[in-house]
Amino acid sequence: FSTPLPGPSLSLAKNDAYFFSLASRDNYLQNMKFQLRPYQKQAVDKIGDQNTIVKMPTGSGKTFVAAEFIKQGLKKRSLISASSLASSADSTSAALFLVPACDLVAQQRRAIEAWIGRDYYVAEYMGGKSSPSRRFDVLVSTPQAFLIL
């Protein structure tokens, strides 16, 4: 899946002029009203309920595509668990977001949390950290740490 990218994309880098500290950046992200660009929405729509690999250029908003997909899945899970048709697996399932390096775990956790909102708990796990102590809706982890979880 590949689409040309119009215009600049939102950067969540620590050194952005808008962000003076992690705390102020997190506050900024929580107060933003996120909206997918048309090509990002098209990607989310094409994914549907399929297991998919999305290939997009750096800075094109792959994290937001994944976060929206996760958000939609969590909303579906909430609707299912509220109905009498829910199995225990439906109400305890969680999303897994893998990142290639420890440096990205906290950054991506914050981005996903900002996108999906505080109604859901986003945990992080990587080498050198203890496993999450409470039930989570989304786990952001490195692949190696997840394998030993």
Side-chain angles (χ1 to χ4, degrees), residues 36-111:
L36 292 177
R37 293 186 172 153
Y39 65 88
Q40 292 168 322
K41 181 168 178 2
Q42 181 184 15
V44 172
D45 292 344
K46 280 191 175 187
I47 291 170
D49 288 332
Q50 303 298 312
N51 185 5
T52 306
I53 295 175
V54 176
K55 178 184 175 190
M56 295 167 65
T58 301
S60 62
K62 291 180 293 291
T63 298
F64 297 131
V65 169
E68 179 62 22
F69 179 74
I70 290 168
K71 182 178 182 177
Q72 289 180 10
L74 291 171
K75 285 182 177 181
K76 285 178 190 174
R77 184 191 73 184
S78 295
L79 291 172
I80 290 169
S81 63
S83 77
S84 60
L85 303 173
S87 71
S88 61
D90 291 330
S91 60
T92 60
S93 62
L96 173 64
F97 188 97
L98 294 174
V99 296
C102 292
D103 299 0
L104 298 174
V105 172
Q107 173 186 328
Q108 297 300 74
R109 180 200 49 82
R110 285 190 299 270

Side-chain angles (χ1 to χ4, degrees), residues 1 4 12 17 20 27 29 36 51 53 64 78-80 87 90 100 110 113 115 126 128 131 138 143 145 149:
F1 181 84
L12 298 177
F20 302 105
N27 188 44
L29 290 173
L36 292 177
N51 185 5
I53 295 175
F64 297 131
S78 295
L79 291 172
I80 290 169
S87 71
D90 291 330
R110 285 190 299 270
E113 189 174 67
W115 189 273
M126 62 185 152
S131 59
V138 182
L149 182 63

